[in-house]
Amino acid sequence: MPRYEYRCRTCGDTFELSRPMAESAAPAACPAGHDDTVKLLSAVAVGGTAAAHPKASGGGGCCGGGCCG
């Protein structure tokens, strides 16, 4: 289930809620009970490195297998 981040305009608290995507725009009360909250836009960063793939060394495929005449 997706997690959404909200900020309370009354107390300034930032909090997260897990809720279905269909309810992502529904109002959310802060943990202190205030109703004046706003959903924050979250930036998703995906990191890591790509694994190096060795180059194919002939064989297989039309241009590498000798089937192109």
Short mmCIF file of all heavy atoms in Angstrom, two decimals:
data_model
loop_
_atom_site.label_atom_id
_atom_site.label_comp_id
_atom_site.label_asym_id
_atom_site.label_seq_id
_atom_site.Cartn_x
_atom_site.Cartn_y
_atom_site.Cartn_z
N MET A 1 0.85 -1.17 0.00
CA MET A 1 0.00 0.00 0.00
C MET A 1 0.90 1.24 0.00
O MET A 1 1.86 1.31 0.75
CB MET A 1 -0.90 -0.02 1.24
CG MET A 1 -1.97 1.04 1.19
SD MET A 1 -3.20 0.96 2.50
CE MET A 1 -3.75 -0.70 2.44
N PRO A 2 0.60 2.21 -0.85
CA PRO A 2 1.45 3.41 -0.93
C PRO A 2 1.41 4.24 0.36
O PRO A 2 0.41 4.25 1.06
CB PRO A 2 0.87 4.21 -2.09
CG PRO A 2 -0.17 3.37 -2.72
CD PRO A 2 -0.46 2.22 -1.82
N ARG A 3 2.52 4.91 0.61
CA ARG A 3 2.60 5.83 1.76
C ARG A 3 2.61 7.25 1.23
O ARG A 3 3.30 7.56 0.26
CB ARG A 3 3.86 5.56 2.57
CG ARG A 3 3.84 4.19 3.22
CD ARG A 3 5.03 3.94 4.11
NE ARG A 3 5.15 4.85 5.22
CZ ARG A 3 4.48 4.74 6.38
NH1 ARG A 3 3.64 3.77 6.54
NH2 ARG A 3 4.68 5.59 7.35
N TYR A 4 1.84 8.11 1.87
CA TYR A 4 1.74 9.51 1.47
C TYR A 4 2.18 10.37 2.63
O TYR A 4 1.93 10.07 3.79
CB TYR A 4 0.30 9.84 1.07
CG TYR A 4 -0.17 9.04 -0.11
CD1 TYR A 4 -0.91 7.89 0.05
CD2 TYR A 4 0.15 9.43 -1.41
CE1 TYR A 4 -1.34 7.13 -1.04
CE2 TYR A 4 -0.26 8.69 -2.51
CZ TYR A 4 -1.00 7.54 -2.30
OH TYR A 4 -1.41 6.80 -3.39
N GLU A 5 2.85 11.48 2.31
CA GLU A 5 3.37 12.39 3.32
C GLU A 5 2.49 13.64 3.36
O GLU A 5 2.12 14.18 2.33
CB GLU A 5 4.81 12.76 2.98
CG GLU A 5 5.51 13.50 4.09
CD GLU A 5 7.00 13.70 3.78
OE1 GLU A 5 7.39 13.63 2.60
OE2 GLU A 5 7.75 13.94 4.72
N TYR A 6 2.17 14.06 4.57
CA TYR A 6 1.31 15.22 4.79
C TYR A 6 1.98 16.17 5.77
O TYR A 6 2.82 15.77 6.57
CB TYR A 6 -0.04 14.79 5.39
CG TYR A 6 -0.84 13.87 4.51
CD1 TYR A 6 -0.61 12.50 4.52
CD2 TYR A 6 -1.80 14.37 3.65
CE1 TYR A 6 -1.33 11.65 3.70
CE2 TYR A 6 -2.53 13.52 2.83
CZ TYR A 6 -2.28 12.17 2.86
OH TYR A 6 -3.00 11.32 2.04
N ARG A 7 1.60 17.45 5.72
CA ARG A 7 2.06 18.44 6.69
C ARG A 7 0.86 19.15 7.28
O ARG A 7 -0.05 19.56 6.54
CB ARG A 7 2.99 19.47 6.08
CG ARG A 7 3.50 20.44 7.17
CD ARG A 7 4.42 21.55 6.73
NE ARG A 7 5.44 21.13 5.80
CZ ARG A 7 5.62 21.69 4.61
NH1 ARG A 7 4.85 22.67 4.20
NH2 ARG A 7 6.57 21.27 3.81
N CYS A 8 0.87 19.31 8.59
CA CYS A 8 -0.20 20.02 9.29
C CYS A 8 0.10 21.51 9.23
O CYS A 8 1.19 21.95 9.59
CB CYS A 8 -0.28 19.56 10.74
SG CYS A 8 -1.54 20.44 11.70
N ARG A 9 -0.84 22.28 8.76
CA ARG A 9 -0.66 23.74 8.69
C ARG A 9 -0.81 24.39 10.05
O ARG A 9 -0.33 25.51 10.25
CB ARG A 9 -1.67 24.34 7.72
CG ARG A 9 -1.41 23.94 6.28
CD ARG A 9 -2.44 24.55 5.37
NE ARG A 9 -2.19 24.15 3.99
CZ ARG A 9 -3.03 24.36 3.00
NH1 ARG A 9 -4.17 24.97 3.21
NH2 ARG A 9 -2.73 23.98 1.78
N THR A 10 -1.45 23.72 10.98
CA THR A 10 -1.67 24.28 12.32
C THR A 10 -0.42 24.16 13.19
O THR A 10 0.05 25.15 13.76
CB THR A 10 -2.86 23.59 13.01
OG1 THR A 10 -4.01 23.72 12.18
CG2 THR A 10 -3.14 24.22 14.37
N CYS A 11 0.15 22.93 13.28
CA CYS A 11 1.29 22.73 14.17
C CYS A 11 2.61 22.52 13.44
O CYS A 11 3.66 22.47 14.06
CB CYS A 11 1.02 21.55 15.11
SG CYS A 11 0.91 19.94 14.30
N GLY A 12 2.56 22.35 12.11
CA GLY A 12 3.78 22.18 11.33
C GLY A 12 4.33 20.77 11.31
O GLY A 12 5.37 20.51 10.70
N ASP A 13 3.65 19.83 11.96
CA ASP A 13 4.10 18.44 11.99
C ASP A 13 4.01 17.81 10.60
O ASP A 13 3.08 18.08 9.84
CB ASP A 13 3.24 17.64 12.97
CG ASP A 13 3.77 16.25 13.25
OD1 ASP A 13 4.99 16.04 13.04
OD2 ASP A 13 2.98 15.39 13.67
N THR A 14 5.00 17.00 10.24
CA THR A 14 4.97 16.24 9.00
C THR A 14 4.79 14.78 9.37
O THR A 14 5.45 14.28 10.27
CB THR A 14 6.29 16.42 8.22
OG1 THR A 14 6.46 17.81 7.93
CG2 THR A 14 6.28 15.65 6.92
N PHE A 15 3.86 14.10 8.68
CA PHE A 15 3.56 12.71 9.01
C PHE A 15 3.22 11.94 7.75
O PHE A 15 2.96 12.52 6.70
CB PHE A 15 2.40 12.64 10.02
CG PHE A 15 1.12 13.26 9.53
CD1 PHE A 15 0.11 12.47 8.97
CD2 PHE A 15 0.91 14.63 9.62
CE1 PHE A 15 -1.07 13.04 8.52
CE2 PHE A 15 -0.26 15.21 9.16
CZ PHE A 15 -1.25 14.41 8.61
N GLU A 16 3.27 10.60 7.85
CA GLU A 16 2.98 9.73 6.72
C GLU A 16 1.78 8.86 7.04
O GLU A 16 1.56 8.50 8.20
CB GLU A 16 4.17 8.82 6.42
CG GLU A 16 5.37 9.54 5.90
CD GLU A 16 6.51 8.59 5.56
OE1 GLU A 16 6.40 7.38 5.85
OE2 GLU A 16 7.51 9.06 5.00
N LEU A 17 1.02 8.53 6.00
CA LEU A 17 -0.10 7.61 6.11
C LEU A 17 -0.02 6.59 4.99
O LEU A 17 0.28 6.94 3.86
CB LEU A 17 -1.44 8.36 5.99
CG LEU A 17 -1.87 9.27 7.12
CD1 LEU A 17 -3.19 9.95 6.76
CD2 LEU A 17 -2.03 8.48 8.41
N SER A 18 -0.31 5.33 5.33
CA SER A 18 -0.47 4.30 4.31
C SER A 18 -1.95 4.23 3.99
O SER A 18 -2.77 4.04 4.89
CB SER A 18 0.00 2.95 4.84
OG SER A 18 1.37 2.96 5.06
N ARG A 19 -2.27 4.41 2.72
CA ARG A 19 -3.67 4.36 2.31
C ARG A 19 -3.75 3.99 0.84
O ARG A 19 -2.78 4.19 0.11
CB ARG A 19 -4.40 5.66 2.59
CG ARG A 19 -3.68 6.90 2.15
CD ARG A 19 -4.39 8.23 2.30
NE ARG A 19 -5.26 8.40 3.43
CZ ARG A 19 -5.92 9.50 3.71
NH1 ARG A 19 -5.78 10.54 2.94
NH2 ARG A 19 -6.70 9.58 4.74
N PRO A 20 -4.88 3.44 0.41
CA PRO A 20 -5.03 3.09 -1.00
C PRO A 20 -4.92 4.32 -1.89
O PRO A 20 -5.22 5.44 -1.47
CB PRO A 20 -6.44 2.50 -1.07
CG PRO A 20 -6.83 2.18 0.33
CD PRO A 20 -6.04 3.10 1.21
N MET A 21 -4.49 4.11 -3.13
CA MET A 21 -4.35 5.23 -4.07
C MET A 21 -5.67 5.96 -4.26
O MET A 21 -5.69 7.18 -4.45
CB MET A 21 -3.82 4.73 -5.41
CG MET A 21 -2.37 4.30 -5.34
SD MET A 21 -1.75 3.56 -6.87
CE MET A 21 -1.94 4.89 -8.00
N ALA A 22 -6.78 5.24 -4.20
CA ALA A 22 -8.09 5.85 -4.38
C ALA A 22 -8.40 6.86 -3.28
O ALA A 22 -9.24 7.74 -3.45
CB ALA A 22 -9.17 4.78 -4.43
N GLU A 23 -7.72 6.76 -2.14
CA GLU A 23 -7.95 7.66 -1.01
C GLU A 23 -6.83 8.69 -0.84
O GLU A 23 -6.78 9.39 0.16
CB GLU A 23 -8.11 6.86 0.28
CG GLU A 23 -9.32 5.95 0.28
CD GLU A 23 -9.40 5.11 1.55
OE1 GLU A 23 -8.69 5.42 2.53
OE2 GLU A 23 -10.17 4.14 1.55
N SER A 24 -5.92 8.79 -1.80
CA SER A 24 -4.75 9.66 -1.63
C SER A 24 -5.13 11.13 -1.51
O SER A 24 -4.44 11.90 -0.86
CB SER A 24 -3.78 9.48 -2.79
OG SER A 24 -4.35 9.93 -4.00
N ALA A 25 -6.23 11.54 -2.11
CA ALA A 25 -6.64 12.95 -2.06
C ALA A 25 -7.61 13.23 -0.92
O ALA A 25 -7.97 14.38 -0.70
CB ALA A 25 -7.27 13.36 -3.39
N ALA A 26 -8.01 12.20 -0.18
CA ALA A 26 -8.94 12.39 0.93
C ALA A 26 -8.27 13.18 2.05
O ALA A 26 -7.05 13.09 2.24
CB ALA A 26 -9.42 11.04 1.45
N PRO A 27 -9.03 13.98 2.79
CA PRO A 27 -8.44 14.73 3.91
C PRO A 27 -7.80 13.80 4.94
O PRO A 27 -8.25 12.67 5.12
CB PRO A 27 -9.65 15.45 4.53
CG PRO A 27 -10.71 15.43 3.48
CD PRO A 27 -10.45 14.22 2.64
N ALA A 28 -6.74 14.28 5.57
CA ALA A 28 -6.04 13.49 6.59
C ALA A 28 -5.80 14.37 7.81
O ALA A 28 -5.27 15.47 7.69
CB ALA A 28 -4.71 13.00 6.04
N ALA A 29 -6.20 13.90 8.96
CA ALA A 29 -5.96 14.64 10.20
C ALA A 29 -4.56 14.32 10.70
O ALA A 29 -4.09 13.18 10.58
CB ALA A 29 -6.99 14.26 11.26
N CYS A 30 -3.88 15.31 11.26
CA CYS A 30 -2.54 15.08 11.80
C CYS A 30 -2.65 14.29 13.11
O CYS A 30 -3.73 14.23 13.72
CB CYS A 30 -1.79 16.39 11.97
SG CYS A 30 -2.03 17.26 13.52
N PRO A 31 -1.55 13.70 13.56
CA PRO A 31 -1.58 12.92 14.80
C PRO A 31 -2.03 13.73 16.02
O PRO A 31 -2.55 13.16 16.97
CB PRO A 31 -0.13 12.45 14.97
CG PRO A 31 0.43 12.44 13.58
CD PRO A 31 -0.25 13.57 12.88
N ALA A 32 -1.88 15.06 15.98
CA ALA A 32 -2.31 15.91 17.08
C ALA A 32 -3.81 16.24 16.99
O ALA A 32 -4.35 16.92 17.87
CB ALA A 32 -1.50 17.19 17.12
N GLY A 33 -4.46 15.78 15.91
CA GLY A 33 -5.90 15.99 15.79
C GLY A 33 -6.33 17.19 14.96
O GLY A 33 -7.52 17.44 14.83
N HIS A 34 -5.39 17.91 14.38
CA HIS A 34 -5.74 19.06 13.55
C HIS A 34 -6.19 18.59 12.16
O HIS A 34 -5.66 17.62 11.63
CB HIS A 34 -4.54 20.01 13.40
CG HIS A 34 -3.99 20.45 14.71
ND1 HIS A 34 -2.68 20.19 15.08
CD2 HIS A 34 -4.55 21.13 15.74
CE1 HIS A 34 -2.46 20.70 16.28
NE2 HIS A 34 -3.59 21.27 16.71
N ASP A 35 -7.14 19.30 11.59
CA ASP A 35 -7.68 18.91 10.29
C ASP A 35 -7.10 19.70 9.12
O ASP A 35 -7.33 19.34 7.97
CB ASP A 35 -9.20 19.06 10.27
CG ASP A 35 -9.88 18.04 11.16
OD1 ASP A 35 -9.37 16.91 11.25
OD2 ASP A 35 -10.92 18.38 11.76
N ASP A 36 -6.36 20.77 9.38
CA ASP A 36 -5.84 21.62 8.31
C ASP A 36 -4.49 21.07 7.84
O ASP A 36 -3.43 21.51 8.27
CB ASP A 36 -5.70 23.05 8.79
CG ASP A 36 -5.36 24.03 7.67
OD1 ASP A 36 -5.46 23.63 6.49
OD2 ASP A 36 -5.00 25.17 7.97
N THR A 37 -4.55 20.07 6.95
CA THR A 37 -3.32 19.44 6.46
C THR A 37 -3.25 19.53 4.95
O THR A 37 -4.26 19.76 4.27
CB THR A 37 -3.26 17.96 6.87
OG1 THR A 37 -4.36 17.27 6.31
CG2 THR A 37 -3.26 17.80 8.38
N VAL A 38 -2.04 19.35 4.42
CA VAL A 38 -1.82 19.37 2.99
C VAL A 38 -0.93 18.18 2.62
O VAL A 38 -0.01 17.84 3.35
CB VAL A 38 -1.18 20.71 2.54
CG1 VAL A 38 0.18 20.93 3.17
CG2 VAL A 38 -1.10 20.80 1.05
N LYS A 39 -1.26 17.53 1.51
CA LYS A 39 -0.44 16.40 1.04
C LYS A 39 0.79 16.96 0.34
O LYS A 39 0.69 17.86 -0.49
CB LYS A 39 -1.24 15.52 0.07
CG LYS A 39 -0.51 14.26 -0.32
CD LYS A 39 -1.38 13.31 -1.11
CE LYS A 39 -1.15 13.55 -2.56
NZ LYS A 39 -1.74 12.55 -3.42
N LEU A 40 1.95 16.42 0.68
CA LEU A 40 3.21 16.87 0.09
C LEU A 40 3.54 16.05 -1.14
O LEU A 40 3.19 14.88 -1.23
CB LEU A 40 4.34 16.75 1.11
CG LEU A 40 4.14 17.52 2.42
CD1 LEU A 40 5.30 17.23 3.37
CD2 LEU A 40 4.02 19.00 2.16
N LEU A 41 4.23 16.66 -2.07
CA LEU A 41 4.73 15.94 -3.23
C LEU A 41 6.05 15.30 -2.84
O LEU A 41 6.93 15.96 -2.30
CB LEU A 41 4.95 16.90 -4.41
CG LEU A 41 3.71 17.55 -4.98
CD1 LEU A 41 4.09 18.54 -6.06
CD2 LEU A 41 2.78 16.50 -5.54
N SER A 42 6.17 14.03 -3.09
CA SER A 42 7.38 13.32 -2.74
C SER A 42 8.20 13.05 -3.99
O SER A 42 7.66 12.62 -5.01
CB SER A 42 7.04 11.99 -2.06
OG SER A 42 6.33 12.23 -0.88
N ALA A 43 9.48 13.29 -3.90
CA ALA A 43 10.39 12.97 -5.00
C ALA A 43 10.95 11.58 -4.73
O ALA A 43 11.45 11.30 -3.65
CB ALA A 43 11.51 13.99 -5.08
N VAL A 44 10.87 10.72 -5.70
CA VAL A 44 11.38 9.38 -5.56
C VAL A 44 12.72 9.30 -6.29
O VAL A 44 12.82 9.64 -7.46
CB VAL A 44 10.40 8.35 -6.16
CG1 VAL A 44 10.97 6.95 -6.08
CG2 VAL A 44 9.06 8.43 -5.45
N ALA A 45 13.72 8.86 -5.58
CA ALA A 45 15.04 8.71 -6.18
C ALA A 45 15.40 7.23 -6.20
O ALA A 45 15.29 6.55 -5.19
CB ALA A 45 16.08 9.50 -5.39
N VAL A 46 15.82 6.77 -7.32
CA VAL A 46 16.26 5.39 -7.44
C VAL A 46 17.74 5.42 -7.77
O VAL A 46 18.15 6.01 -8.76
CB VAL A 46 15.47 4.65 -8.54
CG1 VAL A 46 15.96 3.22 -8.69
CG2 VAL A 46 13.98 4.69 -8.25
N GLY A 47 18.52 4.80 -6.93
CA GLY A 47 19.96 4.83 -7.12
C GLY A 47 20.50 3.46 -7.41
O GLY A 47 19.79 2.48 -7.44
N GLY A 48 21.76 3.41 -7.64
CA GLY A 48 22.41 2.13 -7.91
C GLY A 48 23.22 2.23 -9.19
O GLY A 48 23.27 3.26 -9.84
N THR A 49 23.83 1.14 -9.51
CA THR A 49 24.62 1.10 -10.73
C THR A 49 24.12 -0.01 -11.62
O THR A 49 23.62 -1.03 -11.14
CB THR A 49 26.11 0.86 -10.42
OG1 THR A 49 26.23 -0.38 -9.73
CG2 THR A 49 26.70 1.98 -9.58
N ALA A 50 24.25 0.18 -12.88
CA ALA A 50 23.85 -0.85 -13.84
C ALA A 50 24.96 -1.88 -13.92
O ALA A 50 26.14 -1.56 -13.93
CB ALA A 50 23.59 -0.22 -15.20
N ALA A 51 24.58 -3.12 -14.00
CA ALA A 51 25.57 -4.18 -14.14
C ALA A 51 26.12 -4.13 -15.56
O ALA A 51 25.39 -3.94 -16.52
CB ALA A 51 24.93 -5.53 -13.87
N ALA A 52 27.41 -4.28 -15.69
CA ALA A 52 28.03 -4.27 -17.01
C ALA A 52 27.71 -5.58 -17.70
O ALA A 52 27.91 -6.65 -17.14
CB ALA A 52 29.54 -4.08 -16.88
N HIS A 53 27.21 -5.50 -18.90
CA HIS A 53 26.90 -6.68 -19.68
C HIS A 53 28.01 -6.89 -20.71
O HIS A 53 28.30 -5.99 -21.50
CB HIS A 53 25.56 -6.53 -20.41
CG HIS A 53 24.40 -6.44 -19.47
ND1 HIS A 53 23.95 -7.52 -18.76
CD2 HIS A 53 23.61 -5.41 -19.12
CE1 HIS A 53 22.93 -7.15 -18.02
NE2 HIS A 53 22.71 -5.88 -18.22
N PRO A 54 28.63 -8.05 -20.68
CA PRO A 54 29.68 -8.28 -21.69
C PRO A 54 29.07 -8.30 -23.09
O PRO A 54 27.95 -8.73 -23.28
CB PRO A 54 30.24 -9.66 -21.30
CG PRO A 54 29.18 -10.30 -20.46
CD PRO A 54 28.41 -9.17 -19.82
N LYS A 55 29.83 -7.81 -24.02
CA LYS A 55 29.35 -7.79 -25.40
C LYS A 55 29.23 -9.22 -25.92
O LYS A 55 30.04 -10.08 -25.60
CB LYS A 55 30.30 -7.00 -26.29
CG LYS A 55 30.30 -5.53 -25.99
CD LYS A 55 31.17 -4.78 -26.98
CE LYS A 55 31.11 -3.29 -26.71
NZ LYS A 55 31.91 -2.53 -27.65
N ALA A 56 28.20 -9.41 -26.72
CA ALA A 56 28.02 -10.74 -27.31
C ALA A 56 29.20 -11.02 -28.24
O ALA A 56 29.66 -10.14 -28.96
CB ALA A 56 26.71 -10.79 -28.08
N SER A 57 29.66 -12.23 -28.22
CA SER A 57 30.82 -12.57 -29.04
C SER A 57 30.42 -13.54 -30.15
O SER A 57 30.80 -14.69 -30.13
CB SER A 57 31.93 -13.15 -28.17
OG SER A 57 31.44 -14.28 -27.48
N GLY A 58 29.62 -13.04 -31.07
CA GLY A 58 29.24 -13.85 -32.23
C GLY A 58 28.20 -14.89 -31.89
O GLY A 58 27.83 -15.10 -30.75
N GLY A 59 27.71 -15.54 -32.92
CA GLY A 59 26.73 -16.60 -32.75
C GLY A 59 25.36 -16.04 -32.44
O GLY A 59 25.22 -15.03 -31.77
N GLY A 60 24.34 -16.66 -32.96
CA GLY A 60 22.97 -16.27 -32.67
C GLY A 60 22.58 -15.00 -33.37
O GLY A 60 23.40 -14.13 -33.67
N GLY A 61 21.34 -14.85 -33.69
CA GLY A 61 20.86 -13.64 -34.35
C GLY A 61 21.23 -13.61 -35.80
O GLY A 61 22.17 -14.27 -36.25
N CYS A 62 20.52 -12.84 -36.56
CA CYS A 62 20.73 -12.81 -38.01
C CYS A 62 22.10 -12.25 -38.39
O CYS A 62 22.79 -12.79 -39.21
CB CYS A 62 19.62 -11.99 -38.66
SG CYS A 62 19.76 -11.93 -40.46
N CYS A 63 22.52 -11.17 -37.75
CA CYS A 63 23.75 -10.53 -38.17
C CYS A 63 25.00 -11.16 -37.55
O CYS A 63 26.11 -10.89 -37.98
CB CYS A 63 23.70 -9.05 -37.86
SG CYS A 63 22.43 -8.20 -38.81
N GLY A 64 24.82 -11.98 -36.52
CA GLY A 64 25.99 -12.56 -35.89
C GLY A 64 26.13 -14.05 -36.15
O GLY A 64 27.15 -14.64 -35.83
N GLY A 65 25.11 -14.66 -36.74
CA GLY A 65 25.15 -16.10 -36.87
C GLY A 65 25.38 -16.61 -38.28
O GLY A 65 25.37 -17.79 -38.54
N GLY A 66 25.57 -15.73 -39.24
CA GLY A 66 25.87 -16.16 -40.57
C GLY A 66 24.64 -16.51 -41.42
O GLY A 66 24.78 -17.12 -42.47
N CYS A 67 23.43 -16.14 -40.97
CA CYS A 67 22.25 -16.48 -41.74
C CYS A 67 21.88 -15.40 -42.78
O CYS A 67 20.90 -15.52 -43.46
CB CYS A 67 21.07 -16.74 -40.82
SG CYS A 67 20.55 -15.29 -39.89
N CYS A 68 22.67 -14.36 -42.86
CA CYS A 68 22.35 -13.23 -43.75
C CYS A 68 23.04 -13.33 -45.09
O CYS A 68 23.43 -12.34 -45.68
CB CYS A 68 22.72 -11.91 -43.07
SG CYS A 68 21.78 -11.58 -41.58
N GLY A 69 23.26 -14.47 -45.57
CA GLY A 69 23.74 -14.63 -46.93
C GLY A 69 25.15 -14.37 -47.11
O GLY A 69 25.96 -14.19 -47.77
#
